[in-house]
Amino acid sequence: MEPCSRVRVAKCQMLATSLFVLLLGSAMAATAALSYFGPHFTVIGPVSADRTTYEALHHWAFSAGIALAALLTLGAMLSAAATVRGAGGLMAAAFLSFALVFCALVQAAFWRAHSPTQMEDAVLDAYDRAYERALRSASGSGRQELVAIQDTFLCCGKSSPLGLLGGLEADLCQGEEAARQDCLRGIQSFLRVHGNIVSTLIGLGLAFTVYAMLLSSFIWFTIRLGRYPVSQRARDHPPQEPRVYRCIREGSPSPRPSKADAPGGRLSPSRRSGQLLLLQDTHPPTHGSGEATVSTRM
């Protein structure tokens, strides 16, 4: 494959990768917003045992997701603009954005591998606290919090290890609510689905950022080396050069005008525009022409 063909293929791949990175950034922003403003997570905050730690973790996850989405969107826009315009500075900025996203995603992947159930444990502890408060509290505030959690996750109560429930526990799930699934299983299933989505986004982000960094570095080097091809229109319609410059560059002499076109050794005034003025070589008059001239004078 010729170098120009390689660059064209790299340009097409860079544009396609920028589009996928832009979609990935939008998906990350939507996931972060759902994790922060979604009802499944906001209902847990007020009943969390360690509310300060849970809110800090919740806020950190939202900030990290929005920052990653912003960097991915910025890198996609910069890489697309640099690919179309052939700008080395924009391509270097896009490479830097992708590198920052890669480093952040590596940290997020390490956190997911090291503490995969940290968020799940925090939510389950919050539900256990709300459940115990509803059983022990004589007021209706504790029960209202528990009912709000159960209605959000579409679950009810906890199953007893012995299969028997006390009177107060049986009163919490009556009628249609008794047919719902166990809240511990319901919360675990929801959080695992959410965690799988986050892990998938992290894996796709790592793959796309690595590929985008390779493409952006290759295109940046082609721009720096001056091998970046011009547009198709410029190749099909190159700028016109003066005729004399083309003749000199090609090494062929410029055409000399004929006697019919240039009487008297000079080009006619109507032919001077757009062409090179040429003077024919003057030859000494022959003997016959000299006698004719003397006879004419006499």
Side-chain angles (χ1 to χ4, degrees):
M1 185 180 295
E2 298 180 356
C4 293
S5 300
R6 294 194 192 98
V7 175
R8 284 195 293 269
V9 171
K11 286 174 58 180
C12 295
Q13 292 180 358
M14 189 76 252
L15 292 176
T17 304
S18 300
L19 177 60
F20 283 110
V21 168
L22 186 62
L23 295 177
L24 181 63
S26 301
M28 281 191 176
T31 304
L34 181 62
S35 301
Y36 192 79
F37 299 104
H40 294 84
F41 294 94
T42 56
V43 75
I44 297 296
V47 298
S48 178
D50 193 355
R51 187 174 180 180
T52 303
T53 304
Y54 177 81
E55 288 182 351
L57 182 62
H58 200 195
H59 183 72
W60 175 85
F62 172 74
S63 301
I66 295 298
L68 288 175
L71 286 175
L72 284 173
T73 303
L74 179 62
M77 295 178 64
L78 288 176
S79 60
T83 303
V84 174
R85 299 177 57 185
L90 293 178
M91 190 60 71
F95 179 84
L96 180 61
S97 300
F98 291 136
L100 292 176
V101 173
F102 176 77
C103 295
L105 288 176
V106 168
Q107 294 292 330
F110 177 77
W111 174 75
R112 286 288 301 169
H114 187 264
S115 303
T117 61
Q118 184 176 1
M119 182 64 71
E120 180 179 336
D121 293 340
V123 176
L124 291 177
D125 291 342
Y127 177 77
D128 289 337
R129 185 170 182 269
Y131 190 81
E132 296 295 334
R133 183 186 299 178
L135 293 178
R136 297 176 182 178
S137 176
S139 61
S141 60
R143 180 162 297 191
Q144 289 178 358
E145 293 177 350
L146 181 64
V147 169
I149 296 175
Q150 294 180 158
D151 290 341
T152 302
F153 287 94
L154 297 178
C155 61
C156 187
K158 297 189 298 183
S159 60
S160 174
L162 301 177
L164 300 175
L165 298 177
L168 294 176
E169 295 176 348
D171 292 339
L172 295 176
C173 299
Q174 296 179 355
E176 296 180 357
E177 296 180 354
R180 295 177 179 177
Q181 62 177 341
D182 177 63
C183 280
L184 296 180
R185 295 180 181 177
I187 293 174
Q188 284 179 348
S189 62
F190 172 80
L191 293 178
R192 285 176 183 176
V193 170
H194 187 270
N196 291 334
I197 294 175
V198 172
S199 300
T200 302
L201 292 177
I202 291 175
L204 290 176
L206 288 173
F208 278 114
T209 50
V210 170
Y211 193 62
M213 284 191 296
L214 293 176
L215 288 176
S216 59
S217 60
F218 173 75
I219 296 177
W220 183 82
F221 277 115
T222 58
I223 295 173
R224 296 290 294 177
L225 295 176
R227 297 177 182 177
Y228 200 82
V230 296
S231 61
Q232 182 68 27
R233 184 178 180 182
R235 290 196 302 269
D236 296 340
H237 303 283
Q240 296 294 331
E241 297 178 352
R243 188 175 180 182
V244 62
Y245 294 150
R246 293 201 304 270
C247 294
I248 292 175
R249 187 179 62 181
E250 295 174 0
S252 60
S254 59
R256 298 174 61 88
S258 61
K259 294 182 178 180
D261 294 336
R266 292 182 181 273
L267 291 175
S268 60
S270 61
R271 301 292 301 277
R272 291 180 182 177
S273 59
Q275 295 184 1
L276 182 66
L277 286 176
L278 297 176
L279 294 177
Q280 293 184 349
D281 297 336
T282 57
H283 300 283
T286 58
H287 182 72
S289 60
E291 292 179 354
T293 303
V294 174
S295 61
T296 304
R297 291 181 179 177
M298 292 178 61

